[in-house]
Amino acid sequence: MTDTVLSVRDLRVEFHTRRGVLKAIDGVSFDIAKGEVLGVVGESGAGKSVTGSAVIGLIDPPGRIAGGEILLSGQRIDNLPPEQMRKVRGKRIGMIFQDPLTSLNPLYRISEQLIETITTHTDLSPSQARTRAIELLAEVGIPAPDRRIDSYPHEFSGGMRQRVVIALALCAEPELIIADEPTTALDVSVQAQIITLLKRLGREHGTAIMLVTHDMGVIAETADRVAVMYAGRVAEIGPVHDVVRNPLHPYAEGLMGAIPTLAGEEARLVQIPGSMPRLTRIPPGCAFNPRCGYRFGRCTVDRPDPLPWRGHKVACHLYDPASGPHFLGEGRTLAAAEKHEEATA
Amino acid sequence: MPEETTDHARPVVDTAHGPRTGDVIATPAARLGVLARAWDSDIAFSFRRSPVTIVSAAVALVMILAAVLAPWITPQDPFDAASLNMMDGFTPPGEPNAFTGNVYMFGTDPQGRDMYSAVLHGARVSLVVGLASVAFSLTVGVTLGLVAGYLGGRTEAVIMRVADVQLSFPAILIALLVFGIARGVIPPAQQEQATLFVLIFAIGISNWAQYARTVRATTLVEKSKVYVDAARLIGLKPFVVMVKHVLPNVTGPVLVIATINLALAIIEEATLSFLGAGMPPTQPSLGTLIRSGQQFLFSGEWWILFFPALALVLLALSINLLGDWLRDALNPKLR
Amino acid sequence: MTTQPYVRVSDLSRSFDVSKPWLNRVIEGGEKQYLKAVDGVSFDIPKGETFALVGESGSGKSTVARMVVGLLPPSRGEVTIDGVSMTDRKAEAERQRLRRRIQMVFQDPYASLNPRWRVDRIVAEPIRAFKLVEGEADIRARVGELLTLVGLHPDDGVKYPHEFSGGQRQRVAIARALASEAEFLVCDEPTSALDVSVQAQILNLMRDLQDKFGLTYLFISHNLAVVRHMATRIGVMYLGRIVEISGGREMFTSPKHPYTRMLLDAVPDLAMSGQERAPVAGEIPNPINPPSGCTFNPRCPWANERCLAERPPLADGVACHAVHEGRLAVKNAA
């Protein structure tokens, strides 16, 4: 596994509140390879952003990493002292947030911010750094970068600002970029430009990208693989085309059906009953079981582990041979599970 | 997909009500009574977590209760000159009087007035003035602030400029001014009885601007929320929208100001009475007691000043600390 | 008047004064500045249909919604609902009667319900205001009925809004809109604050209610896929103007205006997985200083001299010189 950039193993993040311990992330594992874009998708409260924050070591109290490991190119980073972690964050992990203004200091010209980041993390002299910064701005598609570089953040439009943030994230040639809802605050037409840019840069620089978003459309177009999160756990992880077209986990199936598309015009959208449980009320067994149409006895008792299945990993008892008659063997799909349910009901 | 999704006629209910898995979904608080729920609330929690607040609340509660119950729990009516014995004058606290042998916990003043009774009755007067003046300034300030914030335009400009001008003078100066004018207007015969009301009016009118400012700012925020639009859509008149929708949502900050202002009003009253522009010695407040006690400070009869002053400090401080806590507890961002 | 459509919006316009304060203008110089948020918007909605306005931020779609329900007076133009003018000052009495029949569902379910009111009181407010039901017991029964209708439990009425999730709050907001027995609902981005699975629930609910009560919707959204799912007719807005107006299906199979085409190319969509997208250029210009002529001309590959100088009229459902002159062929579904 030489080209695995990020490896998250059984990560658990807890928040200690006066009402008890909330498990925001409960046993999440995934890898991201060099040059790969992993989409992390889920609804609010699924734990996707917390996962991103855990990787960059920015979980604020009362939250803390309660277990598991995070490896960056084979080196453990979840237990580094804050000072060292800060260096890793600047140099080896780049960050792009939803609001570009959180990453840019409004009081400094972007040239100063870019040059400072470059000189901190590389051996370049300030004048070389300036040349490099102009190159980067050109690369992220800012017109006339040699003139625009001395502007202040507020002189850019929203889309241009997000491009500057991407340039800033790329300064130190990081191995990994965490992009948390990078396009959510942007207009549709600008969104598309940023998606294209992210995808191209990841490919060209061989940077691994963890793309956290609630927008399945963005994931479908950008990511190579996707992890669908639900109530702090990974429900399904697999190649993005497969998960979009042929989701295995009942939650993923419902989610894909719930998204209105430009091509489809079916009268009703698929509707998952209910809503995601609050972290204080995660049911025992499979977290999705109260909303699941394929539920059977085991689901309310055993918690399913993600098991490999046709190139995916699925955390669902339907894909576990130990489930006996409920097991969806080779060639049997969720539709078969439904028929089975009807027959036994 | 089974049942829920194919059953179009019945829209799906979110999990919070679904009896699908009652074991995990029922909220524990739902089964508890109102008291238990109040005890479980965030405000109660932050109260329990703050020892300073608990002590302040206890002190304030004891003092307020003592003041309210003063006529029943004090040995003497300090306002009734007939019940006083000059022989008891200048008794030090806790020691028997040289002539009568009577023992007074807080000692007595030159007229033989029991300081314990005087302090409790004084605190009663101070509290009445404080509460009434806060109620007065609150009513005026909230009304004007609400009107300014909701109507905007010229009305707002006029109200807020007047508030600005008033805030640029110290409150005590305005109260003194009002008091002076009242002296000139009210016939001397009625001045004594009118003092209490003049004092309430003077202190109240000097503090309304703070309420108006805060309420105006909160109203502007609330007015921009769409629930106000929703109310306008059903054709409600601006006044109705203001009273029924906006007013309940500005109570939080107002409560905080009112609490802190209560402490300030009590001190303001004491200051006025100390300066002689307040309650007469026949009906003394804590301020009046301090005024008459300070002349004995250097002649050794320290208790005549000390106990009223202590009561004033404890009362004002504990209420102020409560107000501070309330401000933090009602502001989720500070938690 | 059978020819009169249920809702008619004609030449609706609204400017906002965005000038600096008077004192600054005097000292620093400079003139009054106006932002034309909405500029000459016209459309009809037949009874029982859904008309959608799509556009990006700053396109003026929400301003149109507020003018249609009467929350904002227009600078120019007229809104007529069931033959009654919403903008004519003389028709106040009739408008008050009309108000019951028009309600609005707002974007942010966290701000649209008064946090200090219990849900039953929120839902009962329109019933009391319009005196639709007399007697406390009957009002309570009606509120329970409405809550059941939107998929909540009648017992939920005793709760406060903060005890509900975003989707449930939006259900309460819909129940309140239906409480006055409204026929016409203006929905301003009703699902954009919600998660996708909850969005599906709310959209399905809105369709069910439309079928059940024959409701007419004006649906405002930036999400083309949602609009496709909901609308019978669609208007695309750009910088305060409608640039294209057409039937729901037509808009997606044969878009005419270059902006519509660009938007459709730009929307990230599940079906697009793995495809390279056509690059989209530029961003929305500052609406205070819009480009002359056709406001889309700086981003349009087909713009010519005429587009820079002349504002294209809306004809045959599209406001574009290139289409009118035949320079740009209408794309048909392959």
Side-chain angles (χ1 to χ4, degrees):
Chain A
M1 295 251 282
T2 46
D3 62 349
T4 301
V5 175
L6 178 71
S7 179
V8 172
R9 293 272 146 265
D10 198 28
L11 181 69
R12 285 185 290 119
V13 175
E14 292 175 349
F15 283 80
H16 290 259
T17 71
R18 71 179 178 100
R19 299 195 187 276
V21 177
L22 301 183
K23 291 178 179 173
I25 303 290
D26 193 3
V28 163
S29 304
F30 58 84
D31 293 322
I32 310 181
K34 197 166 189 287
E36 185 187 42
V37 181
L38 175 76
V40 178
V41 73
E43 301 182 83
S44 42
K48 51 189 196 305
S49 285
V50 180
T51 310
S53 306
V55 171
I56 53 184
L58 287 181
I59 300 268
D60 291 323
R64 63 181 192 94
I65 295 181
E69 305 186 332
I70 300 170
L71 301 157
L72 183 63
S73 303
Q75 186 206 347
R76 246 188 106 162
I77 57 166
D78 56 293
N79 52 3
L80 288 181
E83 188 51 31
Q84 265 177 289
M85 190 60 211
R86 214 169 52 81
K87 280 189 190 133
V88 169
R89 247 193 326 265
K91 169 119 188 72
R92 298 177 60 193
I93 307 180
M95 292 166 287
I96 303 166
F97 296 111
Q98 176 173 344
D99 180 2
L101 289 179
T102 56
S103 312
L104 298 172
N105 188 330
L107 299 179
Y108 293 95
R109 297 173 196 276
I110 61 161
S111 55
E112 297 169 273
Q113 304 187 41
L114 284 164
I115 291 168
E116 192 198 346
T117 314
I118 294 172
T119 49
T120 314
H121 295 296
T122 64
D123 301 329
L124 296 179
S125 70
S127 66
Q128 287 170 312
R130 190 180 165 87
T131 318
R132 173 85 187 113
I134 294 173
E135 279 170 25
L136 278 170
L137 288 180
E139 207 181 338
V140 296
I142 289 184
D146 48 338
R147 277 187 289 118
R148 297 290 279 163
I149 189 167
D150 287 315
S151 310
Y152 288 94
H154 71 262
E155 296 175 78
F156 290 89
S157 65
M160 287 296 155
R161 258 181 233 152
Q162 198 59 300
R163 287 171 192 266
V164 173
V165 171
I166 293 174
L168 203 58
L170 286 172
C171 277
E173 290 278 328
E175 297 149 62
L176 173 71
I177 288 182
I178 310 274
D180 191 350
E181 304 274 7
T183 61
T184 307
L186 305 174
D187 271 317
V188 190
S189 57
V190 184
Q191 218 175 34
Q193 301 165 9
I194 300 295
I195 293 174
T196 316
L197 176 68
L198 258 185
K199 206 167 153 180
R200 179 169 61 81
L201 292 177
R203 206 174 289 156
E204 284 172 9
H205 292 250
T207 318
I209 298 178
M210 178 174 161
L211 175 65
V212 176
T213 175
H214 71 283
D215 188 335
M216 200 60 213
V218 169
I219 298 255
E221 292 202 27
T222 321
D224 300 303
R225 285 191 308 134
V226 58
V228 180
M229 290 194 68
Y230 186 81
R233 307 165 188 190
V234 173
E236 178 167 355
I237 184 164
V240 72
H241 306 227
D242 274 14
V243 176
V244 168
R245 296 205 181 109
N246 183 25
L248 299 177
H249 194 285
Y251 172 66
E253 185 205 32
L255 192 64
M256 301 307 151
I259 300 169
T261 67
L262 292 182
E265 50 191 304
E266 57 268 67
R268 290 183 69 83
L269 297 164
V270 174
Q271 182 167 313
I272 312 175
S275 53
M276 184 147 43
R278 293 185 189 175
L279 292 178
T280 43
R281 305 181 195 164
I282 293 182
C286 173
F288 185 60
N289 85 66
R291 305 174 70 189
C292 182
Y294 310 108
R295 179 184 61 199
F296 57 94
R298 211 184 152 188
C299 301
T300 54
V301 190
D302 285 355
R303 178 180 160 173
D305 287 319
L307 299 173
W309 185 259
R310 289 189 217 146
H312 298 210
K313 268 188 176 174
V314 195
C316 177
H317 291 312
L318 290 172
Y319 300 92
D320 182 358
S323 296
H326 294 280
F327 172 55
L328 289 177
E330 203 56 50
R332 294 176 68 211
T333 59
L334 281 174
E338 190 175 350
K339 285 206 187 75
H340 176 82
E341 277 293 296
E342 278 164 14
T344 52
Chain B
M1 294 282 286
E3 41 153 13
E4 282 91 355
T5 42
T6 47
D7 181 6
H8 294 175
R10 186 173 61 86
V12 167
V13 177
D14 290 19
T15 19
H17 328 276
R20 277 179 216 95
T21 46
D23 47 355
V24 278
I25 279 150
T27 55
R31 292 196 214 95
L32 304 174
V34 178
L35 275 180
R37 246 196 281 183
W39 175 252
D40 201 44
S41 71
D42 289 331
I43 293 254
F45 178 74
S46 96
F47 181 78
R48 275 179 283 154
R49 279 271 297 268
S50 162
V52 173
T53 311
I54 297 175
V55 172
S56 308
V59 171
L61 197 70
V62 166
M63 295 204 54
I64 291 170
L65 269 179
V68 170
L69 300 175
W72 297 280
I73 60 171
T74 51
Q76 214 181 58
D77 183 354
F79 308 137
D80 182 8
S83 70
L84 303 180
N85 184 354
M86 284 290 275
M87 296 297 281
D88 276 333
F90 294 123
T91 314
E95 290 172 29
N97 183 278
F99 308 101
T100 61
N102 290 337
V103 178
Y104 294 97
M105 202 188 352
F106 287 1
T108 60
D109 74 353
Q111 281 85 40
R113 189 181 278 133
D114 171 32
M115 284 316 290
Y116 170 70
S117 308
V119 163
L120 256 52
H121 279 90
R124 198 173 148 91
V125 174
S126 290
L127 269 172
V128 165
V129 173
L131 286 171
S133 63
V134 163
F136 180 70
S137 48
L138 188 145
T139 313
V140 172
V142 169
T143 310
L144 289 178
L146 208 56
V147 168
Y150 197 84
L151 295 183
R154 208 159 286 174
T155 322
E156 178 185 20
V158 170
I159 295 176
M160 293 331 288
R161 289 303 82 74
V162 172
D164 286 345
V165 169
Q166 166 144 18
L167 280 173
S168 61
F169 293 101
I172 195 79
L173 203 65
I174 294 168
L176 270 173
L177 187 73
V178 173
F179 202 84
I181 294 172
R183 272 271 161 90
V185 173
I186 299 170
Q190 281 135 38
Q191 265 178 9
E192 196 124 309
Q193 303 118 284
T195 312
L196 186 69
F197 299 100
V198 171
L199 212 50
I200 289 168
F201 179 78
I203 296 172
I205 207 70
S206 66
N207 283 321
W208 68 274
Q210 269 195 55
Y211 294 91
R213 267 197 174 181
T214 312
V215 169
R216 174 189 157 266
T218 321
T219 304
L220 285 181
V221 173
E222 293 299 320
K223 195 177 78 169
S224 69
K225 292 192 181 160
V226 286
Y227 70 82
V228 171
D229 284 341
R232 284 174 58 202
L233 268 183
I234 56 174
L236 296 186
K237 299 271 180 298
F239 177 76
V240 180
V241 177
M242 227 159 63
V243 172
K244 285 173 74 179
H245 286 277
V246 179
L247 185 60
N249 285 293
V250 302
T251 47
V254 167
L255 201 64
V256 173
I257 302 182
T259 315
I260 292 175
N261 252 343
L262 177 59
L264 292 179
I266 290 172
I267 292 174
E268 205 173 315
E269 183 278 328
T271 314
L272 286 174
S273 295
F274 184 80
L275 294 174
M279 296 307 289
T282 49
Q283 208 186 343
S285 69
L286 288 177
T288 323
L289 290 174
I290 292 169
R291 173 185 160 86
S292 49
Q294 52 107 14
Q295 47 191 309
F296 304 106
L297 185 57
F298 296 107
S299 55
E301 287 86 17
W302 54 272
W303 58 90
I304 305 175
L305 172 70
F306 177 76
F307 289 108
L310 183 70
L312 179 69
V313 167
L314 283 180
L315 193 62
L317 188 66
S318 61
I319 294 175
N320 208 339
L321 286 171
L322 274 181
D324 274 354
W325 161 78
L326 200 61
R327 183 189 55 209
D328 296 349
L330 290 180
N331 186 352
K333 281 185 198 123
L334 289 177
R335 236 181 276 155
Chain C
M1 291 248 287
T2 45
T3 47
Q4 176 86 317
Y6 186 62
V7 178
R8 162 154 284 172
V9 171
S10 45
D11 195 31
L12 202 61
S13 304
R14 172 76 201 198
S15 305
F16 292 104
D17 188 348
V18 289
S19 332
K20 289 176 180 164
W22 172 80
L23 198 61
N24 295 47
R25 283 205 310 278
V26 171
I27 296 169
E28 298 160 17
E31 288 165 19
K32 280 208 152 203
Q33 278 188 316
Y34 293 96
L35 163 66
K36 274 191 177 174
V38 176
D39 190 6
V41 164
S42 305
F43 56 85
D44 294 340
I45 315 177
K47 200 165 175 55
E49 289 201 5
T50 303
F51 181 79
L53 279 178
V54 275
E56 301 181 78
S57 58
S59 63
K61 54 192 191 304
S62 291
T63 311
V64 171
R66 294 177 66 82
M67 285 192 283
V68 168
V69 293
L71 281 174
L72 190 72
S75 312
R76 196 181 70 222
E78 192 175 39
V79 177
T80 315
I81 297 170
D82 209 8
V84 179
S85 170
M86 289 292 286
T87 38
D88 183 2
R89 277 160 200 260
K90 279 172 277 178
E92 178 57 41
E94 270 185 280
R95 187 157 61 244
Q96 182 60 31
R97 252 169 285 142
L98 192 63
R99 216 165 251 154
R100 178 185 69 71
R101 294 155 63 191
I102 310 162
Q103 285 298 314
M104 189 160 177
V105 178
F106 299 91
Q107 171 176 7
D108 182 357
Y110 294 87
S112 67
L113 307 177
N114 189 336
R116 301 276 165 149
W117 282 31
R118 286 179 198 272
V119 160
D120 51 6
R121 189 168 166 212
I122 292 174
V123 176
E125 192 185 25
I127 303 177
R128 295 206 171 98
F130 294 112
K131 300 192 173 58
L132 297 170
V133 177
E134 299 289 336
E136 277 309 299
D138 289 347
I139 290 179
R140 211 173 310 131
R142 172 74 180 137
V143 168
E145 200 178 299
L146 285 162
L147 289 175
T148 314
L149 192 65
V150 296
L152 297 170
H153 195 276
D155 294 347
D156 287 334
V158 299
K159 294 186 192 163
Y160 285 95
H162 71 87
E163 296 175 66
F164 292 95
S165 66
Q168 290 171 325
R169 286 181 211 213
Q170 206 59 303
R171 287 174 194 270
V172 174
I174 293 173
R176 171 179 60 192
L178 296 174
S180 64
E181 291 157 34
E183 298 156 6
F184 176 42
L185 290 193
V186 175
C187 312
D188 187 5
E189 304 257 15
T191 60
S192 63
L194 306 175
D195 276 321
V196 275
S197 73
V198 182
Q199 166 173 283
Q201 294 171 0
I202 298 295
L203 293 180
N204 284 348
L205 173 68
M206 289 180 61
R207 289 189 72 125
D208 290 343
L209 294 170
Q210 183 169 39
D211 292 346
K212 197 165 174 182
F213 300 112
L215 299 174
T216 307
Y217 289 140
L218 170 59
F219 195 94
I220 311 289
S221 181
H222 71 280
N223 186 329
L224 284 162
V226 167
V227 160
R228 156 132 224 193
H229 184 76
M230 294 297 289
T232 31
R233 277 181 77 74
I234 300 173
V236 180
M237 287 192 72
Y238 187 76
L239 282 179
R241 297 175 191 176
I242 290 188
V243 295
E244 182 167 356
I245 199 162
S246 73
R249 180 190 293 246
E250 210 185 321
M251 179 73 71
F252 294 90
T253 52
S254 50
K256 297 190 193 103
H257 197 280
Y259 176 64
T260 317
R261 298 174 193 222
M262 191 203 80
L263 267 188
L264 286 174
D265 278 341
V267 178
D269 193 53
L270 285 191
M272 291 277 287
S273 163
Q275 291 177 36
E276 287 296 335
R277 56 172 63 259
V280 181
E283 292 185 31
I284 301 171
N286 183 350
I288 296 174
N289 262 322
S292 63
C294 171
T295 46
F296 189 61
N297 77 60
R299 302 173 76 183
C300 181
W302 293 279
N304 63 12
E305 297 290 304
R306 190 179 167 204
C307 301
L308 296 181
E310 210 180 297
R311 176 178 163 181
L314 187 68
D316 296 328
V318 59
C320 175
H321 293 134
V323 176
H324 292 168
E325 291 164 11
R327 285 188 282 128
L328 175 57
V330 172
K331 198 155 85 181
N332 273 309

